[in-house]
């Protein structure tokens, strides 16, 4: 999958591809986020979960995936799968959690950029944000994971990608200090047979909406694509107001 040439004429945009896979265009740079690119059913179900449906649950939509760089918030298979390893060019700028940089280099990627501070890719600047992928000991087992703040070079919208996190003080603090224009949370209430959800449930999404700036766009993704994500789009739309819940291939407003 060859990177797209950068273009300063590109309007700012965010498009959900599927699950947590996004195309974010800011500063004339297009960032592919958490690419899960495999066909429906190619992977086994997540184990120790309430059902045994094979993953992904739905096909990859027909979306142009051309990009300048890739952000991987963590290496779980639903955020970077074998199809992504095969399709992404080895010399593509790959922004990753610092603890996972060596693993990507060992897989043959040659431009790996640890997100341990501000990282610039053409007209886009990325900064890490805290994330907690669950509660207690389970959160430790699911680590490492990161969120990210994205800023374009032309004073465009600040985008907060929360990553795989539950609602906790790290999210609260980021919303308060960054005052983002757009917030994208990974919902789905992903859950094992035992324990609490390891991604945002409906209450976490509601709290995010309440804590975000009043004029910010808040969107929820990470839904209806992996077997242990039990909160559906339909349920979330019914239970939480003021939050965009895009379908696959749908764009998220930046105004």
């Amino acid at each position: 999958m060859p990177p797209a040439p950068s273009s300063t004429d590109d309007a700012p945009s965010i498009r959900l591809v599927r699950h947590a896979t996004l195309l974010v265009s800011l500063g004339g740079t297009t960032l592919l986020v958490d690419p899960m690119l495999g066909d429906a059913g190619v992977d086994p179900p997540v184990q120790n979960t309430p059902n045994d449906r094979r993953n992904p649950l739905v096909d990859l939509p027909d979306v142009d995936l051309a990009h300048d760089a890739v952000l991987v918030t963590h290496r779980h298979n639903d955020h970077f799968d074998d199809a992504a390893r095969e399709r992404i060019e080895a010399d593509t700028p790959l922004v990753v959690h610092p603890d996972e940089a060596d693993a990507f280099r060992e897989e043959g990627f040659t431009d790996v950029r640890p997100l341990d501070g501000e990282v610039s890719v053409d007209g886009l600047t990325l900064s890490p944000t805290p994330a907690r992928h669950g509660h207690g000991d389970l959160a430790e087992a699911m680590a490492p994971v990161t969120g990210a703040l994205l800023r374009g070079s032309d004073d465009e919208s600040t985008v907060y990608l929360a990553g795989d996190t539950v609602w906790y003080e790290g999210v609260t603090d980021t919303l308060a200090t960054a005052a983002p224009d757009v917030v994208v949370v990974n919902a789905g209430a992903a859950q094992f047979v035992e324990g609490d959800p390891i991604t945002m449930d409906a209450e976490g999404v509601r709290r995010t909406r309440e804590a975000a700036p009043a004029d910010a766009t808040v969107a929820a993704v990470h839904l209806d694509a992996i077997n242990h994500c039990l909160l559906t789009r339909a349920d979330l739309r019914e239970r939480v107001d003021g939050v965009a819940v895009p379908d696959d291939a749908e764009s998220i407003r930046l105004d």
Side-chain angles (χ1 to χ4, degrees), residues 45-68:
V46 177
Q47 296 300 303
N48 193 32
T49 53
N51 63 71
D52 60 357
R53 300 173 67 190
R54 292 186 64 85
N55 294 312
L57 303 180
V58 293
D59 288 321
L60 189 71
D62 185 13
V63 171
D64 183 357
L65 296 175
H67 56 275
D68 299 290

Side-chain angles (χ1 to χ4, degrees), residues 128-170:
T129 61
R132 182 180 292 168
H133 199 355
H135 302 270
D137 292 342
L138 184 54
E140 295 296 323
M142 300 297 287
V145 62
T146 188
L149 282 177
L150 313 180
R151 296 182 175 90
S153 59
D154 300 322
D155 196 28
E156 297 168 318
S157 300
T158 297
V159 177
Y160 170 33
L161 305 180
D164 270 13
T165 186
V166 295
W167 172 260
Y168 82 114
E169 62 271 15

Side-chain angles (χ1 to χ4, degrees), residues 3-251:
S6 296
S7 171
T8 56
D9 296 329
D10 292 343
S13 65
I14 300 177
R15 190 176 192 184
L16 170 64
V17 179
R18 176 183 62 181
H19 193 51
T21 306
L22 306 170
L23 287 164
V24 182
S25 294
L26 287 174
T29 301
T30 297
L31 185 71
L32 177 63
V33 179
D34 285 346
M36 179 183 69
L37 306 181
D39 295 333
V42 71
D43 291 320
V46 177
Q47 296 300 303
N48 193 32
T49 53
N51 63 71
D52 60 357
R53 300 173 67 190
R54 292 186 64 85
N55 294 312
L57 303 180
V58 293
D59 288 321
L60 189 71
D62 185 13
V63 171
D64 183 357
L65 296 175
H67 56 275
D68 299 290
V70 174
L71 168 65
V72 181
T73 62
H74 62 303
R75 282 173 59 87
H76 290 170
N77 194 66
D78 61 324
H79 293 255
F80 193 79
D81 62 0
D82 288 340
R85 289 180 179 86
E86 294 171 1
R87 294 179 63 178
I88 293 171
E89 296 290 335
D91 60 352
T92 300
L94 203 65
V95 182
V96 304
H97 192 287
D99 293 351
E100 298 182 325
D102 286 344
F104 286 102
R105 294 185 183 108
E106 290 169 2
E107 290 175 341
F109 293 99
T110 60
D111 190 357
V112 178
R113 307 185 187 188
L115 189 58
D116 51 7
E118 282 196 357
V119 173
S120 294
V121 181
D122 297 326
L124 181 64
T125 300
L126 302 89
S127 303
T129 61
R132 182 180 292 168
H133 199 355
H135 302 270
D137 292 342
L138 184 54
E140 295 296 323
M142 300 297 287
V145 62
T146 188
L149 282 177
L150 313 180
R151 296 182 175 90
S153 59
D154 300 322
D155 196 28
E156 297 168 318
S157 300
T158 297
V159 177
Y160 170 33
L161 305 180
D164 270 13
T165 186
V166 295
W167 172 260
Y168 82 114
E169 62 271 15
V171 177
T172 310
D173 293 346
T174 300
L175 291 169
T177 58
D181 302 289
V182 181
V183 182
V184 181
V185 296
N186 289 357
Q191 193 161 4
F192 297 102
V193 172
E194 298 179 352
D196 294 321
I198 59 173
T199 61
M200 291 269 189
D201 57 10
E203 178 64 10
V205 175
R206 184 188 65 78
R207 291 186 177 185
T208 301
R209 172 63 278 179
E210 292 177 349
D215 58 351
T217 296
V218 177
V221 300
H222 200 270
L223 296 151
D224 294 345
I226 295 295
N227 75 294
H228 72 324
C229 290
L230 306 182
L231 175 68
T232 68
R233 286 188 178 101
D235 288 340
L236 185 57
R237 287 167 178 155
E238 182 176 340
R239 295 172 63 182
V240 181
D241 294 327
V243 173
V245 186
D247 292 319
D248 294 346
E250 187 177 348
S251 293

